[in-house]
Amino acid sequence: MSYVLRNALIPTASGYETTDVRIEGEQIAAIGKGLLAGAPGSVELNADNKLLLPGFVNAHTHSSELWQRGIIPPYPLELWLAQLHEYAPPDPEKVYLSALATAVETLLSGGTTVVDHLILIPGQELATVEAAVRAYREVGIRAFIGPLLQDQALPACLPGGEGGSAAYPLSTAEVLAMLEEAVQKYHRPEEGISLMVAPTGIQLCSDQLFEGCAELSQKYNLPRHAHLLETRAQQLLAQEKYGCSAVEHLERLGYLDRKTSLAHCVWLTASDIEILARAGSTVVHNPLSNLRLGSGIAPILKYRQAGVNVAFGCDGAASNDSQDLLEAIKIGTILHNVTDPDYRHWISPRESVEMASRGGAIGLGLGDKLGSLEVGKQADLVLYDLTQLSLLPRTDPIGLLVLGRPTQAVHSVWIRGKQVVADGEVTTVDVAKLRQELFRHSSWDPFRRSQQAAQLEARYRQVMGLPG
Amino acid sequence: MSYVLRNALIPTASGYETTDVRIEGEQIAAIGKGLLAGAPGSVELNADNKLLLPGFVNAHTHSSELWQRGIIPPYPLELWLAQLHEYAPPDPEKVYLSALATAVETLLSGGTTVVDHLILIPGQELATVEAAVRAYREVGIRAFIGPLLQDQALPACLPGGEGGSAAYPLSTAEVLAMLEEAVQKYHRPEEGISLMVAPTGIQLCSDQLFEGCAELSQKYNLPRHAHLLETRAQQLLAQEKYGCSAVEHLERLGYLDRKTSLAHCVWLTASDIEILARAGSTVVHNPLSNLRLGSGIAPILKYRQAGVNVAFGCDGAASNDSQDLLEAIKIGTILHNVTDPDYRHWISPRESVEMASRGGAIGLGLGDKLGSLEVGKQADLVLYDLTQLSLLPRTDPIGLLVLGRPTQAVHSVWIRGKQVVADGEVTTVDVAKLRQELFRHSSWDPFRRSQQAAQLEARYRQVMGLPG
C-alpha cells in the first residue's frame, strides 16, 4: 500500500513548511512539494491544516496495570507495589484486553511504539506474552515486550537486610529459560513485534539474572530494559546490597550499553550520570508516576547537559493513571523548570518532540531507522488536526501540541507504512467493543483494603524514618 | 425547567450509591431513590453508569491569553509577561471569542464556574468587560470577572529599585472609577455574572489601589482577588517595597478577608501561612503555570495542614497552555507527593474533588450556596460518562477521574439549573463556528521575536543572580 499526504505542515529548522509526503511499503519514500501521485491504488490524503510528526515512543509501561488504574490510594512505590501484587493478576484474556487499551490510548496520543514491561502471570508466563503479542499485532502498533523478570520476592525490595532470603517460586535458571523460550516464539522484529530482556531492577534481581539477560541480549540482539533507582529506598538498598551505587554495579555486571533503556533514574549521583553518558544508555522519564508515587523529580536537565539520551514513558496505568503520551511529554517538559532557575536550560517543545520520537528510537537501538521525518526512515507517522479547539487559535503548532492539552487531536496514524488511525478513529480494532469488554470484566470497587500493604507499612515507615 | 436524573452514581461517605436527583429552578430539589417524576414538562434523563459531581470552579484564569497559547518560549514569569504584553492586546471581538473558548474548555473538563482575571485593553476597558460578559452569558457558565487592575508599569515588577517611577497611563483614581462603572453596569450575581475587585498584585499596584478595591468590595459586596507571591522575584520585591512580606503588608492594608482568593502563593513563609489561615482567605493553586514558568511548587500540603482553604485554577492559557480543569486538578493533586515523604499527608482524589468544588465556592464567598450535592444548593452539576475508554475499566470512579486523563468524559452539565452540555456537546453555543472564528483570526507564527523580553532580560538575569 502507498500513500501521498498532500500539504502537510512539517517542522523545519527555521519554522514550518507545507509539503507532500509519500509513503511506500514500510518507508517514507519522498518528501517535497508537488509530489507525483503514487502507483495505481495509492491513496491520496488531504493534509491541509494538519501537522505531520514522527510517531512517539511510549518508552515504558506495564499494560496489565490498566486493570487497577484509579484505585490504588496515594502510596509510595513500595506500598503501592504490595497492593498492586495482592490483587489477583489478570488472566491472559484480561492481559489481551489491557494491551489493546494501552495500544489504543498510546496511538490516540501520538505514540506509534509501545515498550511493555509486561507483568507475568505466575505459571502462565508464556501465555501472558502471547496475549500481549496478539493484542499488539491486531492493533498494528510497533511493540517491544520485555517480560518483567525477578528472582527474589517482594519483601527484598526494602533495605534493612530482612528480605534477601524471601523465596521466589522460580529459580534464576528457570526464569532465563522461560525468557529464551518466549524470545524464540515471539521475537519477530521484521513484523513489528520485538522482545527485550527486562529484569525489573536491582531491588528484586540477582546478579546472575542481570548477567543471564545480558547474554540473551547478545545472543538474540535484543534491547535491554530495567527500572533504575526509582525511589530513595532503592538507593539505600543498593548501598546495602553492593556497597556502591546501583549504576556502578550494573556497569560492572556489563548490563549497560547503547541499547539499554532505564526507567525512572530519579536518584542518581553526578558520577552515576557520567557512567550512563559513557555507556550511551537511555533514561526513560516517567514524570507522572514519579509524582503520583512521590518518588521525586528525575534530574532530566542534568542528563541532557551530560549528553544522556532521554525518552518519555507513561509508566503502568496504575501509577499514572492514564496512557496518554502527550500528557507525559507535557509534564516531563515543564516539570524541570522548577529545578533550575536558569531558563536557558529548560526544555523547549521542539526538543520534547525530538526526545519523544528520536530519543525513544535511540533507546531501542533504532535511531538509524525510526523517529524522524526523513526519506528512507520507517513510516511511523502521526498527523494532528490543527483545527481542533484544543489546538486553536493558530500560534506555534508544536508549542501548543506539547504545552497545551490536545484533545481529539490525532487525525491519522501510520505504523510501518500501514494506516491504523483514520479520521480520529482506530481502524484496526473495534474500540466500542473493547470498551464493552473492559466494562464487563470489571466492577466499581473503591474501598478494597490491602493486607499486604498494611503488613509492609510498619517496616516501610521505620526504614524511611517516618513517624510510626 | 426541571430535570430528574435517574440512577446517577454519587459519592457517599462510605463509597458510592446509585440514586435519583431532581433539579427544579436553579436548585437541587431532591436526592433519593425512586423520586417521582417532576412537574409536567420535566425532563427525565437516564444516568446509568454516570457519575454525578458538583461542578468545579476554574478559580483563576485570564481568558484573552488564549490568543497566545503555545507560543511564548520557556521563560520565567517576568520575561514571559514582557512578551505577553508586547503583542497587541486583542480587540473586544477577540476577547469575546477567547472567553467563549475558555468557557467551553472549562465546561468540558468539569468546570461550571470561571474566575476570569480579565486583562483590559487600554482605552477600551469597559468594552473588554462587556465582551467577556457577553460570552459568558451566551455559554451560560457562572462567571466572576475581575478586571485586572494595576497603576504601575511593567518595569516596576522587578526588584532593584529602578521601576517604581515608571509611568502608567491611568491614575489610581481613574482606575478605581473605571472599575466602579464596570460594577454598576455588569455586576448581576442573581443572573450568574459577578464582578470582583482584582488588583493584579503587589508588584504593579500602589497601596491606594488595594485600599480603594477593598472599599468597593465592601460597598458592593464583591469578592476580592489578586495574584500573590508567584515568583521569588516578587518575594524580593515585597521586602524592598515594604520591609516586610507581601502577606503582612496586605493584611495591614485590610485586603485579606473570607472572600479573598489569592492566585499562586508559591513563596510564603510559615508566618504568612498563619496570617492566611487567620484571615480565612483562599489560595488558588495553579500548578501547571507554576511549572511552566518555573515559579516553584506552592506549599499546598502546608496550607491544608494549617487549615487554609485551597482551590484549583488553570491560569491563563498562555502559561499553561490549556483550560482543562481536570488536568490542573490531577497535577495539583500529585505534584505535592514529592515535597513530603509522608504519604499520610498526600491529597486523595476525593479531597481534590472537594477542593475543586466546595473549595472554589468558599473562595468566592459562596460556600453556603454552591459546591456540594445537597438539597437546596445551586444546581451546578456535572455528569461524567463512566463508559468512556479513559474511565475504564471500572475501579474507583473518582480515583480514575482525578488521577487518570479523562477524555470526552463530560456527558452533561447544568449551571443554575439550566442544561448547557448534553451528550458531550455544548448546547448553548456553536463550537464548530467558534473553531472557525479562532482559526480565521489567527495565523501560525512560531518565530516572532519579543523586543520587550530582550530588553528586560539583562536586568532580570542580574537581579536573579543568573550568569550574564
Side-chain angles (χ1 to χ4, degrees):
Chain A
M1 195 73 169
S2 82
Y3 296 86
V4 179
L5 283 50
R6 295 283 178 210
N7 298 323
L9 202 66
I10 66 169
T12 63
S14 61
Y16 295 90
E17 66 173 342
T18 300
T19 191
D20 298 346
V21 175
R22 184 189 299 135
I23 300 169
E24 274 171 21
E26 294 195 357
Q27 295 185 333
I28 302 172
I31 302 176
K33 288 184 200 292
L35 291 182
L36 295 176
S42 169
V43 175
E44 296 253 334
L45 199 136
N46 174 358
D48 280 353
N49 301 319
K50 296 188 183 67
L51 174 70
L52 185 70
L53 292 180
F56 301 143
V57 177
N58 185 354
H60 180 68
T61 189
H62 309 280
S63 60
S64 63
E65 281 188 14
L66 194 93
W67 293 100
Q68 293 193 61
R69 67 177 177 182
I71 200 169
I72 303 185
Y75 269 149
L77 177 77
E78 287 77 12
L79 300 180
W80 173 94
L81 263 182
Q83 174 136 193
L84 182 79
H85 284 207
E86 179 167 345
Y87 291 94
D91 54 41
E93 176 62 14
K94 288 177 100 174
V95 170
Y96 164 74
L97 292 170
S98 50
L100 283 181
T102 298
V104 167
E105 291 195 354
T106 299
L107 285 179
L108 295 178
S109 56
T112 51
T113 296
V114 62
V115 174
D116 190 354
H117 202 177
L118 184 69
I119 300 169
L120 301 170
I121 305 170
Q124 299 186 72
E125 290 83 0
L126 289 178
T128 314
V129 176
E130 189 277 333
V133 166
R134 186 158 50 95
Y136 295 139
R137 277 187 185 276
E138 275 184 35
V139 175
I141 200 168
R142 190 183 294 272
F144 287 77
I145 298 170
L148 187 147
L149 306 182
Q150 64 189 87
D151 57 359
Q152 293 165 358
L154 191 63
C157 78
L158 280 185
E162 293 174 44
S165 60
Y168 187 73
L170 298 183
S171 72
T172 307
E174 288 168 333
V175 169
L176 289 166
M178 178 274 293
L179 174 62
E180 186 158 14
E181 191 180 346
V183 170
Q184 289 166 347
K185 277 194 162 160
Y186 302 114
H187 180 58
R188 298 291 180 273
E190 69 289 356
E191 297 169 14
I193 302 288
S194 300
L195 264 73
M196 321 170 78
V197 300
T200 186
I202 63 105
Q203 62 280 10
L204 292 174
C205 297
S206 69
D207 289 356
Q208 293 70 35
L209 186 55
F210 276 108
E211 289 167 339
C213 283
E215 280 169 29
L216 287 174
S217 155
Q218 292 280 65
K219 183 171 172 185
Y220 294 99
N221 190 28
L222 307 175
R224 305 175 183 189
H225 194 64
H227 296 109
L228 179 62
L229 292 174
E230 180 170 359
T231 63
R232 193 164 73 86
Q234 291 175 8
Q235 189 189 41
L236 299 172
L237 181 70
Q239 285 297 330
E240 184 178 299
K241 270 176 108 161
Y242 310 128
C244 65
S245 85
V247 179
E248 288 165 344
H249 191 71
L250 289 181
E251 185 189 31
R252 278 181 216 154
L253 291 178
Y255 195 73
L256 306 180
D257 75 1
R258 302 194 75 79
K259 59 181 186 303
T260 305
S261 60
L262 301 156
H264 303 297
C265 297
V266 178
W267 293 87
L268 273 68
T269 64
S271 67
D272 290 338
I273 296 175
E274 279 173 34
I275 293 172
L276 287 193
R278 208 161 55 221
S281 298
T282 289
V283 168
V284 182
H285 185 27
N286 302 281
L288 292 156
S289 68
N290 291 345
L291 295 177
R292 205 275 205 205
L293 302 172
S295 305
I297 298 179
I300 298 299
L301 301 184
K302 289 183 184 164
Y303 295 135
R304 290 172 48 80
Q305 285 159 32
V308 175
N309 182 51
V310 179
F312 294 106
C314 289
D315 206 354
S319 69
N320 173 326
D321 295 306
S322 86
Q323 288 298 303
D324 192 294
L325 198 44
L326 283 164
E327 180 190 38
I329 294 169
K330 172 175 180 173
I331 302 306
T333 298
I334 65 178
L335 177 58
H336 308 285
N337 299 1
V338 298
T339 67
D340 186 339
D342 196 342
Y343 51 91
R344 291 179 181 167
H345 302 151
W346 296 355
I347 303 168
S348 74
R350 286 199 169 217
E351 289 168 338
S352 303
V353 162
E354 174 96 5
M355 291 160 71
S357 50
R358 192 166 151 71
I362 289 171
L364 298 165
L366 291 179
D368 56 338
K369 296 209 175 100
L370 204 67
S372 54
L373 288 182
E374 291 173 274
V375 172
K377 292 283 170 91
Q378 284 280 301
D380 288 21
L381 300 171
V382 180
L383 201 56
Y384 298 92
D385 179 359
L386 299 177
T387 72
Q388 289 294 331
L389 180 59
S390 59
L391 295 180
L392 287 169
R394 288 185 284 175
T395 57
D396 174 4
I398 288 179
L400 192 46
L401 184 75
V402 170
L403 299 175
R405 208 262 199 185
T407 304
Q408 298 169 268
V410 169
H411 181 278
S412 298
V413 178
W414 290 261
I415 298 174
R416 302 170 57 240
K418 186 185 164 200
Q419 188 164 10
V420 295
V421 175
D423 283 326
E425 303 288 340
V426 177
T427 56
T428 45
V429 295
D430 182 341
V431 175
K433 181 165 167 255
L434 171 62
R435 287 164 56 195
Q436 287 163 13
E437 291 294 305
L438 292 171
F439 188 94
R440 192 167 68 82
H441 281 82
S442 59
S443 59
W444 292 307
D445 176 24
F447 286 95
R448 66 183 200 187
R449 286 278 165 266
S450 166
Q451 295 303 312
Q452 281 196 27
Q455 282 162 19
L456 201 60
E457 187 166 13
R459 192 163 145 239
Y460 180 84
R461 295 189 71 83
Q462 186 208 335
V463 168
M464 301 308 293
L466 298 172
Chain B
M1 195 73 168
S2 82
Y3 295 86
V4 179
L5 282 50
R6 294 283 178 210
N7 298 323
L9 202 67
I10 66 168
T12 62
S14 61
Y16 295 89
E17 67 174 341
T18 301
T19 190
D20 298 346
V21 175
R22 185 189 298 134
I23 300 169
E24 273 172 21
E26 294 194 1
Q27 295 185 334
I28 301 173
I31 302 177
K33 287 183 201 292
L35 291 182
L36 295 176
S42 170
V43 175
E44 297 254 333
L45 198 135
N46 175 357
D48 279 354
N49 301 319
K50 296 187 182 68
L51 174 71
L52 186 69
L53 292 180
F56 301 142
V57 178
N58 185 354
H60 180 69
T61 189
H62 309 280
S63 60
S64 63
E65 280 187 17
L66 194 93
W67 293 100
Q68 293 191 63
R69 67 178 176 180
I71 199 169
I72 304 184
Y75 269 149
L77 177 77
E78 287 76 11
L79 300 180
W80 172 93
L81 262 182
Q83 175 136 192
L84 183 79
H85 283 208
E86 179 167 346
Y87 292 94
D91 55 44
E93 176 63 12
K94 289 178 99 174
V95 170
Y96 164 75
L97 293 171
S98 50
L100 282 182
T102 297
V104 167
E105 291 196 354
T106 298
L107 285 180
L108 295 179
S109 58
T112 51
T113 296
V114 62
V115 174
D116 190 354
H117 202 178
L118 185 68
I119 300 169
L120 301 170
I121 304 170
Q124 298 185 73
E125 290 83 359
L126 290 178
T128 313
V129 177
E130 189 277 333
V133 166
R134 186 157 52 93
Y136 294 138
R137 277 188 186 276
E138 275 183 36
V139 175
I141 200 169
R142 191 183 292 272
F144 287 77
I145 299 170
L148 187 148
L149 306 182
Q150 64 189 88
D151 58 359
Q152 292 165 0
L154 190 63
C157 78
L158 279 185
E162 293 174 42
S165 61
Y168 187 72
L170 298 183
S171 72
T172 307
E174 287 168 333
V175 169
L176 290 166
M178 178 275 293
L179 175 61
E180 186 159 15
E181 191 179 346
V183 171
Q184 289 167 346
K185 277 196 162 158
Y186 302 113
H187 180 57
R188 299 289 180 275
E190 69 288 357
E191 297 168 16
I193 302 288
S194 299
L195 265 74
M196 320 170 80
V197 299
T200 186
I202 64 106
Q203 62 280 10
L204 293 174
C205 298
S206 68
D207 289 356
Q208 293 71 35
L209 186 55
F210 276 108
E211 288 167 338
C213 282
E215 281 169 28
L216 287 174
S217 156
Q218 291 282 63
K219 183 171 171 184
Y220 295 98
N221 191 27
L222 307 176
R224 305 175 183 190
H225 194 63
H227 296 108
L228 180 63
L229 293 174
E230 180 171 359
T231 64
R232 193 164 73 86
Q234 291 175 8
Q235 188 189 41
L236 300 172
L237 181 70
Q239 286 298 330
E240 183 178 300
K241 268 176 109 160
Y242 310 128
C244 65
S245 86
V247 179
E248 288 166 344
H249 192 71
L250 289 182
E251 185 190 32
R252 277 181 215 155
L253 290 179
Y255 195 72
L256 305 181
D257 76 1
R258 302 194 75 78
K259 58 180 187 301
T260 305
S261 60
L262 301 156
H264 302 297
C265 297
V266 177
W267 293 88
L268 272 68
T269 64
S271 66
D272 290 338
I273 296 176
E274 280 174 33
I275 293 172
L276 287 193
R278 206 161 56 224
S281 299
T282 290
V283 168
V284 181
H285 186 27
N286 302 280
L288 291 156
S289 69
N290 291 345
L291 295 176
R292 205 274 206 207
L293 302 173
S295 305
I297 298 179
I300 298 300
L301 301 184
K302 290 184 184 163
Y303 294 135
R304 289 171 50 78
Q305 285 159 32
V308 175
N309 182 51
V310 179
F312 293 107
C314 289
D315 206 354
S319 69
N320 174 326
D321 296 294
S322 86
Q323 289 297 304
D324 191 294
L325 199 44
L326 284 164
E327 180 190 38
I329 293 168
K330 173 176 182 174
I331 303 304
T333 298
I334 64 178
L335 177 59
H336 308 285
N337 299 2
V338 298
T339 67
D340 186 339
D342 195 344
Y343 51 91
R344 291 179 180 167
H345 302 152
W346 297 356
I347 303 169
S348 75
R350 286 198 171 217
E351 288 168 338
S352 302
V353 162
E354 173 97 5
M355 291 160 71
S357 50
R358 190 165 152 71
I362 289 170
L364 298 166
L366 291 178
D368 56 338
K369 296 209 174 100
L370 204 66
S372 53
L373 288 182
E374 291 173 274
V375 172
K377 292 283 170 92
Q378 285 280 301
D380 288 21
L381 300 171
V382 180
L383 201 55
Y384 297 92
D385 179 359
L386 300 177
T387 72
Q388 289 295 329
L389 180 59
S390 59
L391 295 180
L392 287 170
R394 288 185 284 174
T395 56
D396 174 4
I398 288 179
L400 192 46
L401 185 75
V402 169
L403 299 175
R405 207 260 201 187
T407 303
Q408 298 169 268
V410 169
H411 181 277
S412 298
V413 178
W414 290 261
I415 298 173
R416 302 170 56 240
K418 186 184 163 201
Q419 188 164 11
V420 296
V421 175
D423 283 325
E425 302 288 339
V426 177
T427 56
T428 46
V429 295
D430 181 341
V431 175
K433 181 164 166 255
L434 171 62
R435 287 164 57 195
Q436 286 164 11
E437 292 293 306
L438 292 171
F439 189 94
R440 192 167 68 82
H441 282 81
S442 59
S443 59
W444 292 307
D445 177 25
F447 286 95
R448 67 183 202 188
R449 284 281 164 263
S450 165
Q451 294 303 311
Q452 281 194 27
Q455 281 163 18
L456 202 60
E457 188 167 11
R459 192 165 145 237
Y460 180 83
R461 294 188 71 83
Q462 186 209 336
V463 168
M464 300 309 292
L466 298 171

